[in-house]
Amino acid sequence: MCGIVGYLGNKQAFDILIKGLHRLEYRGYDSAGVALVDNNGNLNVYKTKGKVNNLEQYCKDKNINGTVGIAHTRWATHGEPNDKNAHPHYSQSKNLAIIHNGIIENYLTLKTFLISKGYEFKSDTDTEVVVQFIEYIMQSQKCDLYSAVTHTLTQLVGAYAIGVVERNNPNLLIAARKASPLIVGVGNNEYFLGSDASPIIEYTNKVIYINDEQVVKIERGKEIEIHDLKNVKLQPVINEISLSLDDIEKGGFEHFMLKEIFEQPKSLSLCMNGRLNKELNEIKLSAITDFGDKFDKCQRIVITACGTSWHAGLIGKYLFENLCRIPVEIEVASEFRYRDPVILPNDILIAISQSGETADTLAAMELAKKQGAFVFGICNVIGSSVARMTDTGVYTHAGPEIGVASTKAFTTQVAVLVMTALAVAKRKNSIKDEEYHSIIGELSHIEEKINKIFQQVDHIKDISKIFTYAKNFIYLGRGYNYPVAMEGALKLKEISYIHAEGYPAAEMKHGPIALIDEEMPTVVIAPDNTNHLYQKVLSNVQEVKARKGRIIAIVCEGDDGVAKNADYTIEIPKTVACLSPLLTVIPLQLLSYYIAVAKGRNVDQPRNLAKSVTVE
Ligand code: F6R
């Protein structure tokens, strides 16, 4: 949700800021803007509706001088996406400019107050209120920008990552954060701001993660200063990150999403590296070695997440209940946080998040933590807010996921859940050695099995072309593949804008079957003909067929039951039931991708979406 970039150094800021915006465009892309302070007393703000390319075009004949600047790519919250609501926003005197990611909940109260003091507003945004208030404090309290920002932040309710610059002060850049991500890159006599490391990594691998309610003062020729809102000076902690430029570029693929789909064998291998020992046929997770007693004691696990991560969490429920015999409740974070949930002594909350910045997931964690739950995180982004808030956890190590529709994050989350459940089951003795070893054996072959599915990519592409006409899709699965049905449907709606729903296959006759006719494609996930649910899914397939529904079936190699009733089949290699989501989801990702491409959609930046949902 909105990407912010900043620069102060010896180079011209414009190109660095624009490149940074392109890297952060996955976070929001309805408008973009830049503010530059030059040495001649100018603070120039340029902003336009649309993507960063539009901004670049718009700036072609403008004064883009300045070695300090801030820039923003927006995902609209307050006010429609247009030029005036794009960031940066000027203060009344045009002496200050601000960029902001987050939501200021009490902005109306502050706006009313400022209007009573004679301030006029040019936009509908909450952000403009912040910069006007900073200016009001500077003027009324005769203080400098840094103090005024700090004072202003104490008055705000809500979430923010901000960058502020001042006309006549080309040597100063102020930033701050609360509940929205902010990273400072530390170069050679230069500093960078970013919502994540992607705009920074080209220049430096040294970063400072800014914590909530911290204000950063970057002054040319001086050491960076960080204070909390009570003005207590804090020691900046510089971390080295291992992200490479290749990780965040397309590498010859047409879209990030396609690259990320094809990266899954590698990302799963990185995810399991050092955790799955093929020789000893065992799983070792330091989080379970160190905190396994929490799982021994707990009577219940609660899993919370949003979207795709929630689908992975649903698979986690099946895993922990089947393998560990621990009851599991799962709930989307936005409901959990406002439901006044009952947290029992010894409860473990497992929070799952690719970005580690999802506002609802963070709030759910905070609530559970306050009530005494032990918080276990499954997260992709190192140093993210989720990672920092957990008592312990496991990184997915999927590498940066830039395509807005989540793919490799999902499969690595499932892999982490499998490994965690296996490690817990082993210590609880709730799993037979034979099953434990068979799952690990299968897990160690999962990469080659996914690669085998990729051999059918042309076949999947051909099927996709046939179904671009569809207005609706139904996805059916059972057991471990019921969450996969929901994930397949979510992928399709996100990027192709075709309406799709995922159902537990047997639920179909309780309502959705009314939708079935020759126009309606049904995707059936029935990967294992030895599974006790297979015959039941076969009956569901026959029910669809009897109503002239068109069926695409995901089945095991050599299947002769469901496949016979399907119009199109995609075969996947056999594996054990609990690992089948790692395989069945792959053709569904590809199907969505190729349908969306055939329909001419913007796959990596679908309408209305943003990668990291840092607002409620
Ligand atoms: C779907 C998708 C979203 C995210 C959700 C949670 O493709 O990407 O549904 O899964 O917004 O995001 P994280 O995992 O970053 O907390």
Side-chain angles (χ1 to χ4, degrees), residues 36 84 156 288 306 326 370 410 459 610:
L36 297 156
K84 73 169 183 183
L156 302 184
I288 302 303
C306 304
I326 303 174
K370 264 197 199 131
F410 174 78
H459 172 55

Side-chain angles (χ1 to χ4, degrees), residues 180-316:
S180 290
L182 179 67
I183 295 181
V184 175
V186 183
N188 223 345
N189 293 320
E190 59 184 355
Y191 291 95
F192 305 82
L193 299 180
S195 295
D196 67 26
S198 62
I200 296 172
I201 196 66
E202 189 169 343
Y203 313 100
T204 176
N205 68 345
K206 294 194 175 60
V207 302
I208 303 169
Y209 296 109
I210 306 305
N211 286 323
D212 279 353
E213 304 200 326
Q214 294 186 348
V215 193
V216 183
K217 184 182 195 179
I218 297 169
E219 235 179 325
R220 201 179 296 279
K222 294 195 181 160
E223 290 293 308
I224 186 168
E225 275 184 40
I226 303 181
H227 290 83
D228 65 17
L229 296 188
K230 295 197 180 94
N231 227 6
V232 176
K233 194 168 177 180
L234 305 162
Q235 191 57 39
V237 180
I238 297 183
N239 300 271
E240 288 202 3
I241 48 170
S242 59
L243 199 66
S244 80
L245 211 51
D246 286 351
D247 291 336
I248 53 170
E249 292 192 332
K250 278 193 212 150
F253 284 89
E254 201 181 335
H255 294 103
F256 281 112
M257 182 177 175
L258 191 63
K259 174 185 173 228
E260 286 157 9
I261 291 173
F262 277 93
E263 264 172 7
Q264 288 175 106
K266 182 178 128 210
S267 57
L268 282 165
S269 150
L270 290 171
C271 173
M272 295 188 286
N273 192 14
R275 295 163 170 175
L276 184 154
N277 186 325
K278 289 187 189 173
E279 267 113 64
L280 299 177
N281 214 358
E282 66 174 18
I283 300 285
K284 275 262 176 300
L285 291 175
S286 56
I288 302 303
T289 312
D290 298 345
F291 294 98
D293 60 314
K294 303 281 179 195
F295 286 87
D296 300 343
K297 276 192 294 195
C298 83
Q299 301 295 315
R300 183 179 73 150
I301 293 172
V302 178
I303 301 181
T304 195
C306 304
T308 288
S309 299
W310 177 70
H311 295 154
L314 266 171
I315 294 169

Side-chain angles (χ1 to χ4, degrees), residues 1-7 16-17 20-21 23-28 33 69-75 87-88 98-102 127 160-164 173-178 180-184 192-200 210 614:
M1 304 264 123
C2 303
I4 67 170
V5 200
Y7 177 76
I16 294 170
L17 295 172
L21 287 185
R23 297 238 157 92
L24 288 178
E25 212 167 12
Y26 72 87
R27 300 178 65 87
I70 50 179
H72 187 270
T73 174
R74 180 167 185 249
W75 185 86
H87 300 210
I98 193 170
I99 48 168
H100 168 220
N101 168 30
T127 305
Y160 53 79
I162 56 167
V164 188
L173 171 58
I174 306 284
R177 93 158 240 179
K178 182 181 175 192
S180 290
L182 179 67
I183 295 181
V184 175
F192 305 82
L193 299 180
S195 295
D196 67 26
S198 62
I200 296 172
I210 306 305
T614 52

Side-chain angles (χ1 to χ4, degrees), residues 88 99 104 111 138 179 200 215 243 247-248 264 289 304 319 357 389 397 413 438 495 583:
I99 48 168
I104 306 305
K111 191 168 180 175
M138 281 178 89
I200 296 172
V215 193
L243 199 66
D247 291 336
I248 53 170
Q264 288 175 106
T289 312
T304 195
L319 284 163
E357 302 295 348
M389 202 193 277
H397 294 312
Q413 286 166 348
S438 131
I495 58 169
L583 302 182

Side-chain angles (χ1 to χ4, degrees), residues 305-310 352-358 361 401 404-407 413 487 490-491 494 610-613:
C306 304
T308 288
S309 299
W310 177 70
I352 309 174
S353 174
Q354 185 284 129
S355 62
E357 302 295 348
T358 302
T361 307
E401 191 182 64
V404 164
S406 202
T407 51
Q413 286 166 348
E487 175 58 10
L490 178 64
K491 286 293 85 91
E494 280 180 294
K611 183 76 187 155
S612 179
V613 188

Side-chain angles (χ1 to χ4, degrees), residues 292-469:
D293 60 314
K294 303 281 179 195
F295 286 87
D296 300 343
K297 276 192 294 195
C298 83
Q299 301 295 315
R300 183 179 73 150
I301 293 172
V302 178
I303 301 181
T304 195
C306 304
T308 288
S309 299
W310 177 70
H311 295 154
L314 266 171
I315 294 169
K317 174 180 166 74
Y318 284 78
L319 284 163
F320 281 102
E321 294 196 339
N322 287 346
L323 304 180
C324 312
R325 309 307 301 155
I326 303 174
V328 179
E329 281 178 23
I330 165 144
E331 192 164 21
V332 286
S334 53
E335 284 301 308
F336 181 84
R337 66 181 286 194
Y338 285 117
R339 196 173 50 78
D340 192 14
V342 177
I343 303 289
L344 303 171
N346 301 323
D347 268 359
I348 295 177
L349 180 98
I350 299 184
I352 309 174
S353 174
Q354 185 284 129
S355 62
E357 302 295 348
T358 302
D360 286 322
T361 307
L362 284 164
M365 290 167 73
E366 203 175 337
L367 182 140
K369 206 169 183 174
K370 264 197 199 131
Q371 295 190 24
F374 182 76
V375 178
F376 187 100
I378 297 177
C379 177
N380 190 31
V381 178
I382 295 173
S384 59
S385 303
V386 164
R388 283 181 285 159
M389 202 193 277
T390 48
D391 293 305
T392 188
V394 183
Y395 279 119
T396 50
H397 294 312
E401 191 182 64
I402 292 165
V404 164
S406 202
T407 51
K408 62 179 182 169
F410 174 78
T411 42
T412 51
Q413 286 166 348
V414 172
V416 165
L417 286 160
V418 170
M419 289 191 289
T420 308
L422 281 172
V424 170
K426 185 72 183 155
R427 52 177 293 139
K428 284 177 72 80
N429 258 329
S430 57
I431 188 168
K432 292 204 177 85
D433 278 353
E434 197 190 334
E435 188 181 6
Y436 176 76
H437 291 132
S438 131
I439 299 174
I440 294 175
E442 277 296 316
L443 202 49
S444 59
H445 288 106
I446 212 76
E447 298 155 49
E448 57 207 69
K449 293 192 176 185
I450 295 179
N451 278 324
K452 214 162 165 209
I453 300 173
F454 289 150
Q455 290 170 9
Q456 296 177 73
V457 71
D458 288 337
H459 172 55
I460 298 172
K461 212 189 271 186
D462 289 344
I463 298 176
S464 309
K465 283 185 200 139
I466 300 165
F467 286 96
T468 48
Y469 76 87

